[in-house]
Amino acid sequence: MSSSSSVRKANIVTEGLAFGESPRWHDGRLWLCNWGTGEIVAMAEDGNSEVMLTVPAVLPYSIDWLPDGRLLVVSGREGLLLGQEADGTLATHADLRGLSKNPWNEVVVDGRGNVYVNGGGPAPAQGEHFGPGTIVLITRDGLVRQVAENIAFANGMAVTPDNRTLIVAESHANRLTAFDLAADGGLSNRRVWADLGNDYPDGVCIDAEGCVWYADVPNRHCVRVREGGEKIDRVEVDRGCFACMLGGADGRTLFILAAEWRGFEHMVSDARTGQVLSIAVSAPGAGWPSYTSGTRW
């Protein structure tokens, strides 16, 4: 952590979640996936919430929106990207089972309407929970193709506001990795965006100053980092931080999804240690996932 950094505490917005993941600021509320229940929840800043829908997945599942306003849901273990139809039902938007039989994880839709989903990849080695991850692209015309491989536990993803860079958390490599985005959605020029030392990035989001906030489960904090690796702000929590998202009326509220971590074998349980926390930050959200419903290209 640099000499200019600070360490701050967040406020509890709500608690009693099973396992919050994939936060998105959408239409004036924080949306999240309550893993272990199949619920997708929308929550106001005061903690008042409602279940928007229940999906046929326990975990992992994640969400984002197409430019036309349709909700997308990654049903990770089923290998499907689902889209919500006008009548509220879910239909298959893309079938990823031909690319991998392993669970899929995160989704982000860029400003052009291209969809990126990570996870999948080869089978894990004996005794391991995850093999090398991949990133797949689903274009606006429905074509599906793999655009990156050998991601060391692919986790959160975000796209810069100029639609030129995709950043992905490689949790098991302790780094954020960047790719150049082509007009057709392809990825190139893979590089280390930030080496995070002993941190394990999970969910991520981008702010208007070009920094990334990342959540970290084992170190129980969220950190703001510049390209190159300088850590300039940190929020400490008393349990694992799984994801974070910038939102609020002006985009300057950092929402943190946290829960007690008991290992992969206990991710689904009756424990309800999940919390949503919030803290004011200096720079608003930017890029995608967007902190507003946003103009897309």
Side-chain angles (χ1 to χ4, degrees):
M1 191 76 64
S2 75
S3 59
S4 63
S5 68
S6 60
V7 178
R8 300 184 293 137
K9 301 288 186 180
N11 302 308
I12 296 175
V13 177
T14 194
E15 48 194 342
L17 295 172
F19 204 100
E21 265 285 9
S22 192
R24 304 287 187 258
W25 186 259
H26 180 75
D27 283 347
R29 291 190 291 180
L30 182 74
W31 291 57
L32 59 91
C33 298
N34 191 13
W35 283 11
T37 69
E39 296 171 345
I40 295 174
V41 178
M43 183 175 300
E45 291 187 71
D46 63 3
N48 186 34
S49 66
E50 65 175 311
V51 176
M52 304 305 290
L53 71 158
T54 301
V55 300
V58 178
L59 62 89
Y61 59 104
S62 56
I63 57 172
D64 206 356
W65 281 263
L66 290 168
D68 63 10
R70 281 182 294 162
L71 174 67
L72 294 178
V73 182
V74 174
S75 183
R77 293 188 182 277
E78 292 70 34
L80 298 174
L81 178 63
L82 306 174
Q84 189 175 33
E85 301 299 311
D87 63 0
T89 60
L90 293 172
T92 298
H93 185 77
D95 189 333
L96 309 179
R97 291 173 292 185
L99 296 172
S100 174
K101 304 300 183 186
N102 293 309
W104 299 88
N105 191 19
E106 270 285 359
V107 60
V108 66
V109 183
D110 73 6
R112 300 182 178 94
N114 290 315
V115 181
Y116 297 90
V117 179
N118 69 27
Q126 186 174 359
E128 298 290 329
H129 289 284
F130 297 94
T134 63
I135 302 175
V136 299
L137 164 69
I138 301 96
T139 63
R140 289 165 293 179
D141 55 8
L143 297 178
V144 180
R145 73 178 192 271
Q146 181 178 305
V147 289
E149 61 183 355
N150 294 322
I151 308 292
F153 192 176
N155 237 313
M157 291 187 293
V159 175
T160 55
D162 59 6
N163 278 298
R164 293 182 177 178
T165 307
L166 181 143
I167 298 171
V168 59
E170 290 195 87
S171 298
H172 288 175
N174 311 97
R175 68 189 175 213
L176 300 177
T177 295
F179 296 87
D180 289 346
L181 276 175
D184 67 356
L187 302 181
S188 64
N189 189 26
R190 180 175 182 165
R191 59 199 181 275
V192 176
W193 194 88
D195 185 333
L196 304 177
N198 293 321
D199 278 1
Y200 298 85
D202 199 318
V204 301
C205 59
I206 296 175
D207 69 29
E209 295 179 359
C211 297
V212 169
W213 280 97
Y214 64 86
D216 182 327
V217 176
N219 290 301
R220 299 184 173 188
H221 60 204
C222 281
V223 176
R224 185 180 184 225
V225 63
R226 290 193 175 105
E227 184 175 7
E230 181 187 6
K231 300 172 184 177
I232 54 177
D233 202 355
R234 183 171 78 237
V235 181
E236 293 185 339
V237 178
D238 68 354
R239 62 201 67 194
C241 295
F242 287 85
C244 55
M245 184 65 203
L246 288 160
D250 61 359
R252 289 182 167 87
T253 299
L254 181 72
F255 294 96
I256 300 168
L257 303 189
E260 293 180 6
W261 176 242
R262 299 185 177 92
F264 289 106
E265 63 276 13
H266 300 297
M267 288 181 70
V268 178
S269 72
D270 293 331
R272 294 292 181 263
T273 66
Q275 296 179 333
V276 177
L277 304 107
S278 70
I279 189 168
V281 296
S282 59
W288 292 273
S290 176
Y291 83 89
T292 67
S293 295
T295 300
R296 294 182 184 267
W297 297 2

